Amino acid sequence: MSDHRLSDPTHVVLTDEGPALVSGPVEIELPDGGRVRSDRPVTALCLCRRSRRWPICDTSHRTRVREPAEEDDR
Ligand code: FES
């Protein structure tokens, strides 16, 4: 039996530009009940839903679509 009170909390960093960075191995449960496991030291979870590897970030969030108001500022 594990005692979560004695273990270190999972460290999660929410970034301004896209993913949530989760420390340690993670198992992600998807809405359809599927599971994705990552054994990386830090896993970038896609929050923008543009990743072709969703739920893992593939940096697609960097492809930014210009807003119409920005187009008018030129
Ligand atoms: S947050 Fe990076 S692709 Fe979605």
Side-chain angles (χ1 to χ4, degrees), residues 29 34 36 42-43 46 53 64 69:
E29 185 172 327
V36 174
V42 176
T43 298
C46 174
R53 296 179 56 222
R64 193 165 154 246

Side-chain angles (χ1 to χ4, degrees), residues 1-9:
M1 183 171 130
S2 66
D3 187 341
H4 292 287
R5 289 173 298 165
L6 297 178
S7 62
D8 291 334

Side-chain angles (χ1 to χ4, degrees), residues 17-20 45-51 56-62:
E17 65 276 1
L45 295 180
C46 174
L47 300 182
C48 75
R49 294 267 186 157
R50 283 191 250 163
S51 175
I56 307 297
C57 171
D58 70 355
T59 71
S60 293
H61 62 269
R62 294 179 183 162

Side-chain angles (χ1 to χ4, degrees), residues 14-71:
L14 299 180
T15 66
D16 282 336
E17 65 276 1
L21 306 177
V22 183
S23 296
V26 293
E27 183 176 83
I28 305 144
E29 185 172 327
L30 304 178
D32 67 0
R35 291 173 189 259
V36 174
R37 182 175 171 92
S38 170
D39 292 318
R40 302 177 120 199
V42 176
T43 298
L45 295 180
C46 174
L47 300 182
C48 75
R49 294 267 186 157
R50 283 191 250 163
S51 175
R52 283 174 287 221
R53 296 179 56 222
W54 189 87
I56 307 297
C57 171
D58 70 355
T59 71
S60 293
H61 62 269
R62 294 179 183 162
T63 307
R64 193 165 154 246
V65 177
R66 286 187 173 272
E67 299 294 326
E70 292 177 308
E71 297 285 337

